[in-house]
Amino acid sequence: MRLEKCWFCSSTVYPGHGIQFVRNDAKVFRFCRSKCHKNFKMKRNPRKVKWTKAYRKLHGKELTQDTTFEFERRRNRPERYNRDLVDQTLNAIKKIEEVREKRESKFWESRMKGKKSQERKEAAVELEQNIHLVKAPGAMVAEPGLTLPKQQVKMKVKVSMPKQQQIQAVQE
Amino acid sequence: MVLYNFKKITVVPSGKDFVDIILSRTQRQTPTVVHKGYAINRIRQFYMRKVKYTQSNFHEKISTILEDFPRLDDIHPFYGELLNHLYDKDHYKLALGQLNTARNLIEKISKDYVRLLKYGDSLYRCKQLKKAALGRMCTVMKRVSPSLAYLEQVRQHMSRLPSIDPNTRTILICGYPNVGKSSFINKITRADVDVQPYAFTTKSLFVGHTDYKYLRWQVIDTPGILDHPLEECNTIEMLSITALAYLRAAVLFVVDLSGSCGYSLAQQASLFHSIRPLFANKPLIIACNKTDLQPIETLPESDALLLQEMKREAAKAGAGLVDGAPPDEEGCLLTMSTMTEEGVIAVKNAACEKLLQQRVEVKMKSKKINDCLNRIHVAVPRQRDQKERPPCIPQAVLDAKVAEAKVLEKRKLEKDLENENGGAGVYSANLHKHYLLLDPDWKEDIMPEIMDGHNIADFIDADILQRLDELEREEEEAAATAQAADEDEDMSDQELTAEETEALLAIRRKKKQILEEHRLKKSTADNKPVMPRKHDHNRQFNTGRMGQHLSSLGLDPGAAVERIRSKSRLGRKRERSAGGGDDYAMDIDQQPTKKMRARSRSLSRPHTEALPGEGYKDSAQKMKAMKIAKKAVKQRNKDARKGEADRVHYNLKPKHLFSGKRGTGKTDRR
């Protein structure tokens, strides 16, 4: 019994899941679910499909080269059973996992490091360029800061002159 | 070695079928149409062809039959005799002869009628001649039909004869009926001969094959022979006698000691002596069967004496075969029991051995042996002195062999273990117990294969601990350096204040809103007209709203609201002006200008009058211009009704639909 890797998305295929396709040149393709299988049939390149591990590794979104990956290697020659060795291996696997997880999270952090400053810069630029949407240029003259204008009280203006008088005023 | 196979003889059709076949073939394969208007030569040729064709077909078919059936004189005498006994040589030859004569007769008929046809002067006459010819040929065949039927029977039986090779190594089993010959052959070969308690169960020869010393041996089972002179033997007995007479084989005379076959030993002995001449030049073995019923030791005196006599005779016969060897009495008489299978193999081996020796002797004496001998050469080292040099086996090897033999005897096999624990379906062997591991306690361990989404076998490595240590060291170093370099850049000066963030959020909201509105507008495009003011029943477009909007943007709405209020005519009374030229549609501003006045003046004149400042040559031009302007502004009719552009006169009677012949079909509808 072996856990295999899905050819398309590189997730583990547990026994009883997925489909295995054997091509005429004897190359075996394993898929974890029909999504990957259908994508394969559509001849999509996993390196171009965003959600696959292949894409992520290729585009540097995930840890690619690390010593923790070299522990897990497919060995073709089986070793003679040795209880102590298996014991050590089981403990080692746990530790290796921990180390790998830590390294991956550090990688992620270093990837996301410049984000905060980038965001701030963008916000400042946006604010400066688009302040006219919420604050009229006239108000900008009055208060030059990049903030919302203070709410003004609406003035009700009444026209008291009757029309007759207006016309007379015009004709004059 | 020619293997006689009579299965390839063609089927002999009955007389009627024969005729039918030939005539129908003539009908099919020759031209069928002829008219009396044709040239006479052509008619003659037509009918001659038919006659000749029929004759040649008859000739062909009869020839194949005659050739396929074997000629009794040309085949091996064994088969010749066999066929004679089965089918009567004379009858057989007669039938074939009749067929031959029929063939010749048909040829003659055809020749005669072809000659006559050459002088036929009309279609009718030629036709009659042909009819007569064919008719006569068919009658000839019909006369021969009993022979044909007989030959068909013979053919069917012959195809079922066993294929016996008369020249190869053979063992012939003979004796009284019911002594156990068929049981014996069943035991040593794969033949499945009927074994029944009544006499003459075996009614014909049966062949089986067995192996001895890497060679194939034929074993022939014969029907039982009764002790009476040759003339009184029936067909079945004659079969065995023929076999005995013509096949060069080892003879195995089977005797029943117990007498359960129904015949006493005396009768069997007398049979033996009467057919003794048939055993000349054949290695003979007397096999005493049914020793489980009557072992040879407890045989009564008289029977034992008879047996002794038979043995002596057999030995004498055997002495003549192999030169130089003394008569071997003991090798001639053997006991066996086909029921319990003891002694059966020994008998077979003895018979085979004897025959082999005889055959080798014969071969040695023939001339061809020198060719064989020339090819064989055994190299033997020349003796240089009288010292004895036996093969040398070290003592350790001999001891080991002895010990191994002992171990093999005492060892408990897996099969025994399986049988103890419930048999094949119940017990499953424990394969773990033979594992070679460093510590035998680990033999029954189950190794885990999967953990936490990993295959454990991928991680197994002899120096995994060392590599793990390296990894942990790396990790610690990395952690240490990371702490040293880990300091966040202070970017608090770039942070936005609370009000600025508020403004930013407002901006984003506004952008979203604009985008949504634009998308709505885009999707509906020209289909949604702007609601005209007169249908604004809810009075949404009012100065209050405008004022709110402006103040949210930070402007003072007072001035704008005032201006609007002063200009709007809603709620104001309409006043006729004294001049009659004042348009009340025009709002009066607080400070009207002269310019406006001039405009209003122009409206009191006819609209087609070309005023100096407008740029028209004359009023006609102005009228034309106004017309064109109106037309340009005209709205498109979107009611999906026929418009100006749609008054197209199609071709109501296209020529291709209203003229011409059709390719297929009728043209009565257009």
Side-chain angles (χ1 to χ4, degrees), chain B residues 544-574:
Chain B
R545 287 229 171 160
M546 195 188 82
Q548 268 178 0
H549 182 232
L550 284 175
S551 59
S552 73
L553 282 176
L555 294 168
D556 180 16
V561 171
E562 224 182 276
R563 183 169 181 273
I564 286 169
R565 291 235 169 100
S566 68
K567 283 195 173 240
S568 86
R569 70 177 168 118
L570 204 64
R572 288 169 193 258
K573 280 200 254 180
R574 253 187 264 159

Side-chain angles (χ1 to χ4, degrees), chain B residues 461-613:
Chain B
D461 202 353
D463 44 353
I464 193 161
L465 279 180
Q466 176 199 354
R467 293 172 67 195
L468 190 63
D469 286 335
E470 272 175 32
L471 183 74
E472 296 201 323
R473 241 182 296 128
E474 256 179 52
E475 203 49 30
E476 284 166 31
E477 285 170 28
T481 49
Q483 275 188 344
D486 189 31
E487 48 174 35
D488 242 38
E489 298 131 50
D490 211 82
M491 296 207 287
S492 51
D493 55 335
Q494 286 187 23
E495 274 224 49
L496 297 172
T497 59
E499 294 125 348
E500 286 182 336
T501 1
E502 219 188 307
L504 186 64
L505 290 172
I507 288 171
R508 287 190 177 150
R509 241 181 292 128
K510 184 80 192 173
K511 268 192 179 172
K512 250 199 203 163
Q513 201 186 1
I514 292 171
L515 195 64
E516 268 176 39
E517 278 174 22
H518 174 72
R519 284 188 179 149
L520 254 167
K521 259 202 282 180
K522 198 169 71 158
S523 69
T524 50
D526 293 328
N527 294 341
K528 231 185 185 170
V530 178
M531 187 79 102
R533 191 79 178 278
K534 65 179 178 181
H535 296 304
D536 178 26
H537 297 291
N538 300 333
R539 307 284 158 88
Q540 283 179 341
F541 298 98
N542 52 20
T543 45
R545 287 229 171 160
M546 195 188 82
Q548 268 178 0
H549 182 232
L550 284 175
S551 59
S552 73
L553 282 176
L555 294 168
D556 180 16
V561 171
E562 224 182 276
R563 183 169 181 273
I564 286 169
R565 291 235 169 100
S566 68
K567 283 195 173 240
S568 86
R569 70 177 168 118
L570 204 64
R572 288 169 193 258
K573 280 200 254 180
R574 253 187 264 159
E575 284 183 26
R576 285 187 198 256
S577 60
D582 266 334
D583 195 4
Y584 37 68
M586 194 67 202
D587 275 337
I588 300 167
D589 204 16
Q590 277 137 357
Q591 290 167 26
T593 56
K594 248 194 171 160
K595 214 186 201 175
M596 295 205 60
R597 181 105 193 164
R599 281 299 277 276
S600 64
R601 244 305 128 77
S602 77
L603 284 166
S604 62
R605 297 208 181 271
H607 66 104
T608 52
E609 188 187 318
L611 291 171

Side-chain angles (χ1 to χ4, degrees), chain B residues 322-375:
Chain B
V322 183
D323 300 330
D328 180 19
E329 292 220 347
E330 287 315 311
C332 291
L333 191 76
L334 297 164
T335 57
M336 65 175 182
S337 168
T338 48
M339 184 67 73
T340 60
E341 290 190 43
E342 59 172 303
V344 168
I345 306 285
V347 170
K348 170 194 127 185
N349 288 350
C352 293
E353 193 60 47
K354 272 202 165 180
L355 184 63
L356 205 60
Q357 278 180 5
Q358 192 217 12
R359 280 171 78 97
V360 165
E361 273 284 323
V362 170
K363 280 212 176 103
M364 296 286 267
K365 286 193 205 142
S366 75
K367 287 188 223 155
K368 284 199 239 169
I369 193 65
N370 289 325
D371 307 332
C372 265
L373 281 178
N374 285 342
R375 287 189 247 148

Side-chain angles (χ1 to χ4, degrees), chain B residues 66-136:
Chain B
L66 288 175
E67 269 162 43
D68 277 345
F69 274 93
R71 254 179 278 191
L72 294 179
D73 305 321
D74 291 348
I75 54 180
H76 193 273
F78 165 65
Y79 271 107
E81 275 300 310
L82 197 69
L83 294 177
N84 178 19
H85 287 303
L86 289 170
Y87 316 126
D88 191 11
K89 186 163 67 171
D90 298 328
H91 196 174
Y92 181 85
K93 279 190 171 168
L94 260 168
L96 288 175
Q98 273 194 349
L99 217 52
N100 197 15
T101 356
R103 184 174 61 172
N104 293 338
L105 282 173
I106 290 175
E107 209 180 308
K108 259 209 243 152
I109 293 170
S110 134
K111 275 211 193 95
D112 285 338
Y113 276 89
V114 163
R115 223 178 305 134
L116 284 174
L117 268 168
K118 271 200 273 192
Y119 303 103
D121 45 4
S122 72
L123 180 129
Y124 180 72
R125 206 173 292 252
C126 291
K127 187 170 179 181
Q128 295 294 70
L129 282 169
K130 163 220 155 210
K131 234 163 102 170
L134 259 49
R136 276 178 72 170

Side-chain angles (χ1 to χ4, degrees), chain A residues 135 139 143 147-153, chain B residues 499 550-555:
Chain A
K135 190 170 182 184
E143 2 164 351
T147 56
L148 284 173
K150 307 276 184 271
Q151 283 288 5
Q152 302 229 336
V153 179
Chain B
E499 294 125 348
L550 284 175
S551 59
S552 73
L553 282 176
L555 294 168

Side-chain angles (χ1 to χ4, degrees), chain B residues 197-260:
Chain B
Y198 59 83
F200 288 102
T201 317
T202 314
K203 291 191 256 290
S204 65
L205 301 175
F206 285 95
V207 191
H209 295 271
T210 184
D211 295 313
Y212 177 74
K213 283 198 176 163
Y214 308 110
L215 294 167
R216 258 285 129 113
W217 296 75
Q218 257 179 168
V219 186
I220 303 184
D221 181 26
T222 64
I225 318 168
L226 294 173
D227 187 22
H228 41 216
L230 216 66
E231 300 79 35
E232 293 172 28
C233 286
N234 62 19
T235 326
I236 302 177
E237 291 171 331
M238 282 313 291
L239 286 180
S240 14
I241 300 212
T242 317
L244 275 172
Y246 289 99
L247 292 174
R248 254 189 339 128
V251 178
L252 201 63
F253 190 83
V254 184
V255 181
D256 180 1
L257 292 176
S258 64
S260 60

